[in-house]
């Protein structure tokens, strides 16, 4: 049921977005560029709206957003329930699953950080 609701929401968003891009191309370009500013995408020296802007609200965009949103459904954690076995990438580039790192009765400790 959740996947169907997400499908309907994303499809409606893409249809409305594509319609607005056809009817008001300059306004939508400004809107998409404004979103790029919020994500700091515009700070990339190789940034060019013409390279990626027209891909917004395309069929590939729809499929990508659905894939990400559906995947996130599987990775949600709920208090009192088992942790999801989320895929992770090792420093060597190998894809493993989080619970692969469990050893015997030792607790698994996750340390989150960022590199900037």
């Amino acid at each position: 049921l959740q996947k169907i609701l997400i499908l309907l929401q994303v499809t409606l968003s893409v249809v409305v977005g594509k319609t607005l891009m056809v009817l008001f191309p300059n306004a939508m370009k400004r809107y998409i560029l404004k979103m790029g500013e919020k994500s700091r995408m515009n700070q990339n020296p190789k940034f060019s709206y013409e390279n990626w802007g027209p891909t917004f609200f395309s069929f590939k965009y729809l499929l990508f957003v659905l894939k990400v949103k559906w995947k996130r459904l599987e990775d949600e954690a709920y208090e009192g329930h088992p942790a999801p076995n989320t895929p992770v990438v090792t420093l060597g580039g190998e894809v493993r699953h989080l619970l692969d790192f469990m050893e015997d009765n030792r607790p698994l400790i996750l340390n989150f950080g960022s590199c900037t």
Side-chain angles (χ1 to χ4, degrees), residues 94-111:
E94 178 186 359
V95 177
R96 307 256 316 262
H97 285 83
L98 189 61
L99 298 179
D100 293 344
F101 297 96
M102 293 285 297
E103 292 182 18
D104 300 323
N105 291 331
R106 296 175 56 198
L108 177 64
I109 297 173
L110 304 176
N111 184 13

Side-chain angles (χ1 to χ4, degrees), residues 1 6 8 11 15-16 19 21 35 39 41 43 51 53 56 62 65 68 84-85 92 94 100 102-105 113 116:
L1 181 61
I6 290 171
L8 292 174
T11 302
V15 169
V16 169
T19 303
M21 281 184 85
M35 288 190 322
S39 67
M41 189 174 190
Q43 293 178 359
N51 291 338
F56 270 71
L62 170 81
V65 173
V68 169
N85 197 12
E94 178 186 359
D100 293 344
M102 293 285 297
E103 292 182 18
D104 300 323
N105 291 331
T116 55

Side-chain angles (χ1 to χ4, degrees), residues 31-115:
Y31 172 74
I32 292 170
L33 287 170
K34 198 65 138 168
M35 288 190 322
E37 287 175 13
K38 287 181 183 177
S39 67
R40 298 187 180 147
M41 189 174 190
N42 298 1
Q43 293 178 359
N44 184 339
K46 297 180 181 180
F47 171 82
S48 172
Y49 172 82
E50 287 70 25
N51 291 338
W52 61 270
T55 65
F56 270 71
F57 310 116
S58 65
F59 186 68
K60 280 186 178 181
Y61 174 87
L62 170 81
L63 294 178
F64 176 77
V65 173
L66 284 176
K67 179 181 174 184
V68 169
K69 287 186 174 267
W70 286 346
K71 182 65 181 154
R72 285 186 182 162
L73 282 175
E74 298 168 8
D75 290 341
E76 289 186 30
Y78 300 97
E79 186 175 344
H81 290 83
N85 197 12
T86 305
V88 293
V89 179
T90 66
L91 293 174
E94 178 186 359
V95 177
R96 307 256 316 262
H97 285 83
L98 189 61
L99 298 179
D100 293 344
F101 297 96
M102 293 285 297
E103 292 182 18
D104 300 323
N105 291 331
R106 296 175 56 198
L108 177 64
I109 297 173
L110 304 176
N111 184 13
F112 296 92
S114 65
C115 298

